[in-house]
Amino acid sequence: MTNPLSRRAFLGRSALIGCSAAASPLLTPVSFASAPWETRLVVIILRGGMDGLDAVQPYGEPEFAQLRREFEIGPDQGAIDLDGFYAMHPALAPLLPLWEREELGFVHAVSTPYRDKRSHFDGQDLLEAGTVSMSGVRDGWLNRALQHLPGVEADTAYALGLDDMKLLRGSAPVANWSPEAEMTLSPQALRLAELVMEEDEAFHAALTEAQMLSDTQDDERLRGRVPAHIKLADYAAKRLRKDARVAAFSINGWDTHRQQARPIAAALTRLSDTILTLKETMRSQAWDRTAVIAMTEFGRTVRANGTRGTDHGTGGALVFAGGAIRGGRVLGDWPGLEEAALYERRDLMPTRDVRAHAAWLMRGATGLDQGVLERDVFPDLDMGSDPGLLI
């Protein structure tokens, strides 16, 4: 890709903070911290296992249409063509201007080291710990990174709901915040319900659907309320526009075992709205120095199941956005979808550790030493070649 010298290129470089906010059953706390560097970093955890193959559809792959014949896929069904091979889910259409300005990109066929057991909670724990196992691990990768950066301060420290942003757990100071929101189910109660239903896919899918129905954006807007994820993004952007340099929060609702079309569209719309709110509220001066990365604990099965949904899988996708990133690209070593190329003949084969992209993003944003990232922040990680996520 050609990168002419631009305002974005001139502005893009380094920083960190954290913030925390809990809002609705579909949203978990955000956390902030402040520092003297410039690049803003926003980490969004997509809880529930986003189906990367639906979000960024490899419609140019010959097997894809057959494997997903129950779904509406590709530009002929409303998806947004990106490069003649991949198409973006229609719910992400509002982000097309960002794609065209190279402020939005994706990475396919990535995963954490988590394999085979397919538990949301174990997968999320490993994603946020940034390790290859949870043995003896009590902190998160983002906090460990903060511990190696100069000037990190948390001038405020508050949290509501569960302290579930584990990637920010650790000795570095981090502040927490949660927007006020009416909740039909508290985060604690939701967590308990999810744990109880973890082993039963039917109940788990029903819970996910209930969450979606109880707190959709449309419902919020019909009641004249600002959706919780918008409040969260707006607050984060206002902090990042000033002293904050890192924000981390979650968007839930990605567990799509049944009738996937509606819940994934709703979840992708929330993600789209969140990114656009960050951009609009942050304004160009801060947005041009911002990198957003959205990660999920695992992907989903390549084949649709019998209820027009997908089950827990392995390889997935991550989303990156912001004025500081080199977007307009779908990165990743695409493994193909022939049965022999699939992981356990059912999942997209992961071809790169998702932690490597987070590590390169951290290095580009903050200047952290590669050895520190591979040894202390993401233990046992080989970062490999630089994917060049930042300008």
Side-chain angles (χ1 to χ4, degrees):
M1 183 184 73
T2 302
N3 292 297
L5 182 62
S6 65
R7 182 164 175 271
R8 293 176 57 214
F10 179 74
L11 290 173
R13 284 308 130 202
S14 17
L16 232 66
I17 295 184
C19 80
S20 164
S24 74
L26 296 175
L27 209 59
T28 51
V30 176
S31 302
F32 286 102
S34 60
W37 56 90
E38 285 302 317
T39 301
R40 279 71 169 165
L41 179 63
V42 181
V43 181
I44 304 175
I45 302 297
L46 308 177
R47 299 190 189 282
M50 179 182 76
D51 182 7
L53 292 172
D54 207 352
V56 188
Q57 303 166 5
Y59 78 93
E61 178 70 48
E63 288 80 9
F64 188 57
Q66 179 65 22
L67 290 164
R68 290 292 181 98
R69 60 182 179 275
E70 294 87 350
F71 294 174
E72 295 181 350
I73 58 171
D76 292 342
Q77 301 293 326
I80 314 299
D81 180 50
L82 296 176
D83 58 8
F85 184 83
Y86 293 107
M88 190 166 63
H89 190 285
L92 295 176
L95 297 181
L96 182 59
L98 270 62
W99 171 268
E100 293 171 340
R101 288 198 294 269
E102 300 180 354
E103 294 181 356
L104 173 72
F106 306 93
V107 184
H108 238 312
V110 291
S111 76
T112 71
Y114 184 67
R115 296 290 187 278
D116 304 328
K117 295 182 181 179
R118 306 182 190 281
S119 161
H120 289 297
F121 305 106
D122 292 344
Q124 288 169 25
D125 285 350
L126 210 61
L127 172 66
E128 296 189 67
T131 54
V132 296
S133 81
M134 291 304 298
S135 178
V137 177
R138 288 183 167 74
D139 53 7
W141 65 263
L142 191 48
N143 192 285
R144 290 196 296 274
L146 289 170
Q147 295 170 33
H148 288 278
L149 292 165
V152 173
E153 298 177 353
D155 54 353
T156 55
Y158 46 95
L160 294 177
L162 290 174
D163 181 17
D164 56 1
M165 295 311 298
K166 296 174 182 172
L167 78 169
L168 277 168
R169 283 185 183 173
S171 59
V174 172
N176 297 310
W177 176 83
S178 175
E180 293 181 4
E182 291 185 15
M183 294 182 285
T184 55
L185 193 62
S186 72
Q188 293 90 342
L190 176 66
R191 177 76 171 179
L192 177 60
E194 288 177 334
L195 284 169
V196 169
M197 298 177 185
E198 167 76 355
E199 299 301 324
D200 190 310
E201 291 190 353
F203 275 114
H204 202 91
L207 176 63
T208 299
E209 189 172 356
Q211 287 177 247
M212 182 192 70
L213 292 173
S214 68
D215 191 0
T216 63
Q217 297 176 87
D218 289 342
D219 288 342
E220 295 272 17
R221 285 172 174 148
L222 285 172
R223 293 194 296 266
R225 298 170 181 163
V226 177
H229 63 280
I230 299 297
K231 292 180 184 176
L232 184 62
D234 180 73
Y235 180 81
K238 289 174 178 173
R239 295 297 305 270
L240 293 165
R241 209 168 62 198
K242 298 179 179 177
D243 295 333
R245 293 294 179 270
V246 170
F249 55 91
S250 302
I251 297 176
N252 292 351
W254 303 91
D255 196 15
T256 52
H257 289 281
R258 293 191 296 128
Q259 306 298 327
Q260 177 165 303
R262 184 180 178 194
I264 197 167
L268 289 169
T269 297
R270 287 193 293 277
L271 176 60
S272 172
D273 288 348
T274 297
I275 292 172
L276 291 177
T277 299
L278 287 168
K279 172 180 168 55
E280 291 164 6
T281 307
M282 208 172 282
R283 302 171 190 167
S284 61
Q285 186 174 7
W287 177 254
D288 288 348
R289 300 172 179 174
T290 294
V292 180
I293 183 171
M295 313 163 73
T296 192
E297 67 263 29
F298 45 59
R300 306 193 74 84
T301 50
V302 169
R303 296 177 182 82
N305 62 28
T307 56
R308 301 177 68 85
T310 54
D311 297 322
H312 301 173
T314 308
L318 71 80
V319 182
F320 60 105
I325 63 104
R326 292 178 59 223
R329 304 174 295 163
V330 180
L331 301 174
D333 298 322
W334 180 248
L337 295 177
E338 295 178 3
E339 185 169 346
L342 302 181
Y343 182 78
E344 294 189 336
R345 295 183 177 271
R346 70 191 293 274
D347 301 337
L348 180 65
M349 179 68 76
T351 56
R352 195 163 185 188
D353 193 322
V354 71
R355 299 178 302 158
H357 294 87
W360 281 113
L361 197 67
M362 290 293 302
R363 175 157 173 71
T366 68
L368 258 181
D369 180 77
Q370 183 171 343
V372 169
L373 287 162
E374 293 180 330
R375 182 183 63 248
D376 298 333
V377 179
F378 297 104
D380 302 312
L381 172 68
D382 177 358
M383 290 169 62
S385 59
D386 185 353
L389 297 179
L390 294 181
I391 292 173

